[in-house]
């Protein structure tokens, strides 16, 4: 009986993780190409961060282009962290070392609500023009619709997704 309890606990824990990524069907439907790889927070996918801690996101691009970083909190609140950042092919970390604020390098700080947050990195070979997307609280379906609309004008596009968890 003890062995039956372990898989049940693992199943329950897996249910707490956000449903990530873009399905193979969506990849085909959206015309995505494999440009982005290795997209993850500095503590790895699903890493835990306390409130007010800094978080960095690393990724690799196989060709130059424009990237946008969007987050969706557990309550559906969506925020664009970076928009149309032109980058060469290669390894990158957001925020960029060249991003500055009054205290030095810009940082992403973990803020409420507690729980898992999704991060979606959008790649296009041309700058995206629709700035009205990814505002407010969105459902998963709306998040996908906004992603598709945001990338719709680009002949070459990709999407990568990861997550982290805000804890006390």
């Amino acid at each position: 009986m003890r062995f039956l309890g372990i898989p049940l606990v693992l199943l329950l824990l897996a249910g707490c993780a956000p449903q990530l990524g873009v399905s193979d069907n969506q990849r085909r439907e959206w015309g995505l190409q494999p440009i982005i790889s290795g997209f993850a927070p500095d503590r790895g996918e699903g890493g835990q961060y306390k409130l007010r801690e800094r978080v960095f996101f690393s990724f690799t691009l196989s060709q130059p282009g424009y990237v946008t970083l969007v987050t969706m909190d557990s309550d559906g609140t969506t925020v664009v962290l970076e928009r149309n950042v032109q980058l060469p092919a290669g390894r990158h970390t957001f925020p960029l070392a060249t991003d500055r604020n009054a205290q030095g390098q810009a940082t992403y700080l973990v803020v409420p609500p507690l729980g898992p947050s999704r991060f979606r990195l959008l790649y296009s070979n041309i700058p995206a023009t629709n700035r009205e997307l990814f505002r407010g609280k969105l459902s998963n379906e709306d998040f996908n619709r906004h992603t598709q609309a945001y990338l719709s004008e680009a002949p070459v596009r990709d999407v990568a997704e990861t997550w982290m968890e805000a804890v006390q």
Side-chain angles (χ1 to χ4, degrees), residues 79-155:
V79 176
V80 176
L81 298 174
E82 304 283 351
R83 187 185 303 272
N84 281 333
V85 177
Q86 187 175 11
L87 294 173
R91 188 87 176 136
H92 303 283
T93 300
F94 273 152
L96 298 172
T98 55
D99 290 345
R100 302 277 180 216
N101 61 19
Q103 293 75 37
Q105 182 183 351
T107 60
Y108 302 145
L109 294 178
V110 177
V111 296
L114 296 176
S117 292
R118 298 167 62 182
F119 293 83
R120 200 170 261 188
L121 189 66
L122 313 175
Y123 167 90
S124 58
N125 65 325
I126 60 173
T129 58
N130 195 335
R131 295 188 173 272
E132 301 305 313
L133 297 171
F134 303 114
R135 292 189 178 173
K137 291 189 178 188
L138 300 176
S139 68
N140 187 55
E141 294 77 26
D142 288 337
F143 196 39
N144 288 337
R145 271 195 295 278
H146 283 232
T147 298
Q148 188 176 19
Y150 189 80
L151 296 172
S152 64
E153 296 174 3

Side-chain angles (χ1 to χ4, degrees), residues 66-85:
Y66 297 84
V67 294
T68 294
L69 179 60
V70 182
T71 181
M72 177 189 263
D73 291 332
S74 57
D75 68 356
T77 300
T78 308
V79 176
V80 176
L81 298 174
E82 304 283 351
R83 187 185 303 272
N84 281 333
V85 177

Side-chain angles (χ1 to χ4, degrees), residues 17-35:
Q19 299 302 311
L20 283 183
V22 176
S23 72
D24 289 339
N25 286 343
Q26 287 170 315
R27 289 191 73 76
R28 281 190 297 278
E29 180 183 322
W30 298 355
L32 302 181
Q33 299 177 20
I35 308 295

